[in-house]
Amino acid sequence: MAIKGVLVDITKCVGCGSCTVACKMWNNQNYVNPETKETENAHGFEAELDSNTWTTVQYVKAQKDGKEVLRYVKRQCMHCQDPSCSSVCFAHAFHQTEEGAVQYDPELCVGCRYCMIACPFDIPKYEWEKAFPSVMKCQFCSSKLAQGEAPACASVCPTNALVFGDRDALLAKAHEIIAAEPDKYVQHVYGENEVGGTNWLYISDVPFGDLGFPTNLPQTSVPSNVHKFTRFTPAIFIGGAALWSGVYLYSSRRHKVAEHEGKHEEEKHEE
Ligand code: SF4
Ligand code: SF4
Ligand code: SF4
């Protein structure tokens, strides 16, 4: 099975937001969500990813040929080829499907949130508002991919800004597009090598750093470097759990002793 990907051509996106609606419909999420934040930043006005918003199209003001231009940038999980979120998760709540989708399983998650710290793209979000929260992120519509179908967002894009296919073919296509119009495009396919490669790839006519993409990422897999630190994670987590259990048992015992002493004093008073 070939690894799948999506090629995002930022020059073709018109900011219609159809992809964000399709994502919410396919994943049964609220379209109007009081938790969703919209922030105005130096670049423009943008909706943020949250536990109920797995993709967003950000409006970014940038400079091109001395003029201010507006670009629309779709964000979601990049589906890294060697994902950091998965490598730090000692509960094995993440796994990669045959098609390359990085999947999260809430049944296995213990809520440590190391994945949120480890992700170089700040993607996983936590359901802070829920009593029993899970981590949330784009799942690359993995059930659709398994059937050979395009993800919901890519299948509705009216301008072909999102093209779904085999990652290798998309990468070759991205280089062809750039080579055909070298004066238009930045000479870089974002995701080709970032953190060892991602299955979502981007091409653009504006430098990626000006669009808010992290540009100082290692060009090799991160997990191979972090394993030496994270091998202690289960011990630290279990140690922490044991410590808090101890504190809880000690407090409960103190509480029971205090109750007992209170009752004893009352009985003495009655006599
Ligand atoms: S972008 Fe972040 S959440 Fe998505 S696969 Fe990569 S490390 Fe995991
Ligand atoms: S791949 Fe699926 S889950 Fe991910 S942003 Fe697109 S529609 Fe949403
Ligand atoms: S559907 Fe396509 S054109 Fe519309 S906002 Fe999404 S990526 Fe851009």
Side-chain angles (χ1 to χ4, degrees):
M1 177 66 70
I3 295 294
K4 300 296 179 186
V6 172
L7 174 60
V8 184
D9 185 341
I10 286 171
T11 70
K12 289 189 176 173
C13 178
V14 294
C16 67
S18 305
C19 50
T20 62
V21 177
C23 179
K24 283 190 180 277
M25 287 176 74
W26 178 255
N27 293 299
N28 292 320
Q29 294 166 334
N30 293 333
Y31 191 65
V32 179
N33 176 24
E35 303 293 332
T36 300
K37 293 192 198 98
E38 285 194 338
T39 49
E40 195 169 5
N41 62 20
H43 294 302
F45 203 61
E46 61 194 36
E48 292 176 12
L49 294 178
D50 62 32
S51 59
N52 187 66
T53 307
W54 294 355
T55 186
T56 177
V57 177
Q58 296 177 334
Y59 292 32
V60 182
K61 284 181 197 155
Q63 291 290 320
K64 182 165 172 62
D65 303 329
K67 286 189 207 140
E68 188 175 87
V69 292
L70 188 58
R71 292 291 176 266
Y72 309 101
V73 184
K74 183 181 183 299
R75 311 256 188 213
Q76 73 296 303
C77 173
M78 298 289 282
H79 296 277
C80 305
Q81 297 206 307
D82 197 1
S84 305
C85 54
S86 174
S87 75
V88 297
C89 180
F90 62 88
H92 302 291
F94 290 86
H95 76 277
Q96 215 157 11
T97 67
E98 278 181 20
E99 296 81 20
V102 179
Q103 285 249 274
Y104 163 78
D105 182 351
E107 298 289 316
L108 296 173
C109 177
V110 296
C112 70
R113 302 188 297 279
Y114 286 126
C115 54
M116 294 171 66
I117 299 164
C119 174
F121 302 103
D122 189 24
I123 298 298
K125 302 296 173 203
Y126 203 52
E127 294 177 306
W128 295 103
E129 67 283 6
K130 293 200 176 164
F132 298 102
S134 295
V135 171
M136 290 283 155
K137 72 167 201 72
C138 153
Q139 305 273 59
F140 207 170
C141 294
S142 54
S143 59
K144 278 174 151 295
L145 259 59
Q147 302 293 320
E149 293 172 23
C153 54
S155 65
V156 298
C157 178
T159 62
N160 280 333
L162 310 175
V163 176
F164 170 71
D166 291 354
R167 183 185 187 270
D168 287 349
L170 291 175
L171 186 57
K173 186 184 171 84
H175 281 292
E176 266 172 36
I177 294 171
I178 293 173
E181 292 186 83
D183 295 338
K184 176 177 170 184
Y185 285 95
V186 173
Q187 301 295 306
H188 180 59
V189 180
Y190 193 92
E192 178 174 7
N193 295 312
E194 276 74 13
V195 292
T198 62
N199 293 332
W200 279 66
L201 303 164
Y202 287 75
I203 52 176
S204 170
D205 61 340
V206 171
F208 289 102
D210 297 351
L211 298 175
F213 286 80
T215 52
N216 54 354
L217 297 176
Q219 301 294 295
T220 53
S221 154
V222 175
S224 52
N225 295 322
V226 296
H227 270 311
K228 53 181 177 275
F229 300 106
T230 54
R231 68 198 155 108
F232 298 114
T233 301
I236 293 166
F237 189 74
I238 291 163
L243 176 69
W244 284 113
S245 302
V247 169
Y248 173 77
L249 288 172
Y250 176 73
S251 315
S252 308
R253 171 128 185 89
R254 292 279 307 162
H255 189 68
K256 277 187 189 146
V257 169
E259 260 183 4
H260 181 76
E261 284 174 354
K263 269 189 197 153
H264 195 63
E265 280 299 309
E266 271 174 30
E267 280 166 13
K268 268 172 61 185
H269 226 67
E270 282 168 13
E271 282 167 17

